[in-house]
Amino acid sequence: MQAYDMDDEPTTYAANSAEEAIALYVRDSGEQVEDGYPCELTDAALDAERAEYDEDERPTGKMTTIRRWLEAATEPGYLCGAMR
């Protein structure tokens, strides 16, 4: 799977293709994807360190990357970021 930013929030989805990412985003948000999206994340974006949060959305004090989340994803769908 690849990671795709779906909007400028950004809302990131894991999917096997851009078309699959669009279908999942539309299903979840009820909105169409804006021009210029989806945008497949670059290696730099995948490997950028970001704060890690627990299941209750509280900071853990640790750092992680989108690549780690993508590798842990077992199926296509919402990966991280903002949901409308």
Side-chain angles (χ1 to χ4, degrees):
M1 285 190 287
Q2 294 84 32
Y4 296 91
D5 277 345
M6 304 306 295
D7 56 31
D8 62 357
E9 296 292 330
T11 304
T12 306
Y13 272 71
N16 295 301
S17 67
E19 293 78 15
E20 181 178 45
I22 291 169
L24 293 167
Y25 178 82
V26 170
R27 179 198 69 194
D28 293 349
S29 71
E31 297 182 15
Q32 294 300 312
V33 177
E34 295 178 15
D35 288 342
Y37 294 96
C39 180
E40 186 174 348
L41 271 65
T42 63
D43 284 336
L46 288 170
D47 295 328
E49 296 253 324
R50 46 180 70 227
E52 182 178 80
Y53 293 85
D54 66 16
E55 293 174 1
D56 296 319
E57 298 183 18
R58 291 181 300 223
T60 65
K62 298 177 184 176
M63 300 298 284
T64 192
T65 65
I66 292 177
R67 186 179 304 278
R68 288 184 195 132
W69 292 333
L70 182 60
E71 290 171 349
T74 58
E75 60 187 43
Y78 175 76
L79 193 60
C80 63
M83 281 297 293
R84 294 182 177 170

